[in-house]
Amino acid sequence: KAHGEVPDPVVTPQGAFTEYLWEAKNVPALLADSDLPSWFDPYPWVQISELASWRDVARWAVPLYELATPGEAVRAEARRIEAAAAAPRDRVAAALRFVQEEIRYLGLEMGTGSYRPNPPRDVLARRFGDCKDKALLLVALLGELGVEARPALVHTEERQGLERWHPSPVAFNHVVVRVILEGKELWLDPTRTRQGGALEEIWLPPFRRTLIVDPSTEDLTTIPEHPERGP
């Protein structure tokens, strides 16, 4: 898929392969406005993907985030939260703050570590992980607490600009969590820290578009706006 003013490629058969050549000469400098929003890319580029739809990307991601068994340590932490908080929303808040404050953010994103989360029991044992590790740990804890939760892929800069992308796994650089509690959606970011206040007031940056890691996902989902009610 071509983005911006991209010249037509020269297509040449090369035996069992096909060569696509995009070539431009004497290209004038592009002076981009320094105040452009992060999701707007003024530079021409070409995107190549092996997948045809966002549904395909979701199917690619689902096996990576499967929870075969969370582990006894995860169950024990869930039982501790359950004993300390009676109301479901208080348990969700306690699980979120445990992952935010007690699991240090650190990413070892080499090889498969760039896209496959570590098992929640390992993340809990070593007390560090990146966004996908922390998201899957939160999903595991909430599952043990009887709360529906799924990882959700976002891009911190592209945001609604993802709608222009051809579906691809590399369209995302961050993972948050969608929670269904008492029939309502909550969007939580387990990598953030020091988020006090009521559960409904917890702030999420305006990521705007997301792909929920779920077998039923067909397309990108819009994250609702959450205007601040005070400073």
Side-chain angles (χ1 to χ4, degrees):
K1 182 176 181 178
H3 297 261
E5 296 182 4
V6 177
D8 294 332
V10 176
V11 183
T12 307
Q14 298 282 2
F17 302 94
T18 302
E19 178 188 78
Y20 293 79
L21 175 63
W22 289 268
E23 187 174 37
K25 298 180 179 180
N26 300 318
V27 178
L30 174 60
L31 303 178
D33 192 313
S34 61
D35 290 326
L36 289 175
S38 63
W39 49 265
F40 180 81
D41 188 354
Y43 296 95
W45 61 291
V46 175
Q47 183 189 5
I48 299 173
S49 175
E50 296 177 308
L51 303 179
S53 68
W54 291 115
R55 178 182 184 274
D56 292 339
V57 181
R59 300 305 181 278
W60 166 85
V62 164
L64 303 176
Y65 288 84
E66 282 182 341
L67 281 169
T69 173
E72 184 53 39
V74 175
R75 294 191 184 98
E77 185 59 37
R79 288 195 296 267
R80 183 194 65 80
I81 293 171
E82 196 171 30
R89 62 183 58 254
D90 293 336
R91 292 174 179 176
V92 172
L96 172 67
R97 284 164 184 149
F98 173 80
V99 177
Q100 287 180 330
E101 307 298 338
E102 300 298 329
I103 307 298
R104 182 163 59 94
Y105 180 84
L106 176 65
L108 302 176
E109 298 172 358
M110 298 169 286
T112 58
S114 63
Y115 61 87
R116 182 187 296 277
N118 288 283
R121 60 179 181 273
D122 295 345
V123 177
L124 185 59
R126 68 192 188 188
R127 294 298 175 115
F128 70 81
D130 61 12
C131 63
K132 54 188 177 291
D133 296 331
K134 287 163 72 79
L136 190 57
L137 174 57
L138 179 59
V139 169
L141 285 170
L142 294 178
E144 291 297 312
L145 294 168
V147 177
E148 179 184 344
R150 299 295 298 181
L153 311 180
V154 298
H155 197 292
T156 56
E157 295 181 351
E158 287 292 333
R159 302 184 177 187
Q160 66 265 44
L162 289 178
E163 294 177 346
R164 300 193 306 268
W165 280 54
H166 185 81
S168 169
V170 301
F172 308 98
N173 68 352
H174 190 49
V175 186
V176 296
V177 174
R178 187 199 66 172
V179 175
I180 303 296
L181 182 66
E182 299 171 349
K184 297 181 179 179
E185 277 187 336
L186 296 173
W187 297 89
L188 308 175
D189 188 345
T191 64
R192 298 198 165 267
T193 58
R194 300 175 183 176
Q195 288 192 303
L199 188 63
E200 296 82 355
E201 299 299 323
I202 289 178
W203 181 75
L204 183 78
F207 295 136
R208 303 190 189 281
R209 302 293 182 270
T210 182
L211 190 75
I212 300 171
V213 182
D214 188 274
S216 65
T217 294
E218 297 290 335
D219 205 345
L220 295 174
T221 295
T222 297
I223 300 177
E225 293 289 331
H226 187 70
E228 296 302 313
R229 297 182 182 179

